[in-house]
């Protein structure tokens, strides 16, 4: 419980800072629990891909972000795709 609270609090603090600093955020649903998450948008033309953790269910997934779009895939889906 304490770790989940810390992850969610860190996420909320980060999102608040991005908003305060004028950063662009993109909403997307967690591919595991479907909760709405927001992520920082990269500059136009950039692609960010990373292993991400949901601040709500703490599930881990792969996230690809462009200036306008977020794509996600669960690790189980990625494993099946690789077979």
């Amino acid at each position: 419980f304490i770790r989940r609270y810390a992850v969610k609090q860190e996420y909320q603090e980060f999102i608040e800072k991005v908003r305060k600093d004028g950063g662009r955020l993109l909403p997307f649903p967690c591919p595991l629990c479907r909760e709405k998450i927001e992520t920082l948008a990269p500059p136009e033309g950039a692609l960010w891909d990373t292993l991400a953790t949901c601040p709500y269910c703490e599930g881990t997934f792969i996230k690809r972000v462009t200036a306008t779009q977020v794509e996600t895939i669960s690790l189980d889906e990625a494993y099946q795709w690789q077979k």
Side-chain angles (χ1 to χ4, degrees):
F1 174 77
I2 292 173
R3 181 171 163 4
R4 181 172 290 178
Y5 176 78
V7 169
K8 188 174 177 182
Q9 185 172 355
E10 285 178 24
Y11 162 76
Q12 290 171 335
E13 289 171 359
F14 173 75
I15 294 301
E16 283 179 33
K17 182 174 181 350
V18 169
R19 280 198 178 101
K20 181 180 171 190
D21 294 347
R24 273 190 341 103
L25 294 167
L26 297 172
F28 67 97
C30 169
L32 304 167
C33 72
R34 308 310 297 169
E35 282 287 337
K36 179 185 155 197
I37 306 173
E38 292 180 290
T39 192
L40 181 63
E44 191 68 42
L47 170 66
W48 292 346
D49 58 346
T50 187
L51 196 58
T53 301
C54 174
Y56 300 101
C57 72
E58 293 190 20
T60 304
F61 56 93
I62 298 168
K63 176 176 74 174
R64 293 172 44 105
V65 186
T66 66
T68 59
Q69 182 177 339
V70 180
E71 296 176 356
T72 61
I73 186 170
S74 73
L75 294 183
D76 285 342
E77 291 172 319
Y79 177 74
Q80 293 301 321
W81 181 74
Q82 294 248 325
K83 283 185 168 183

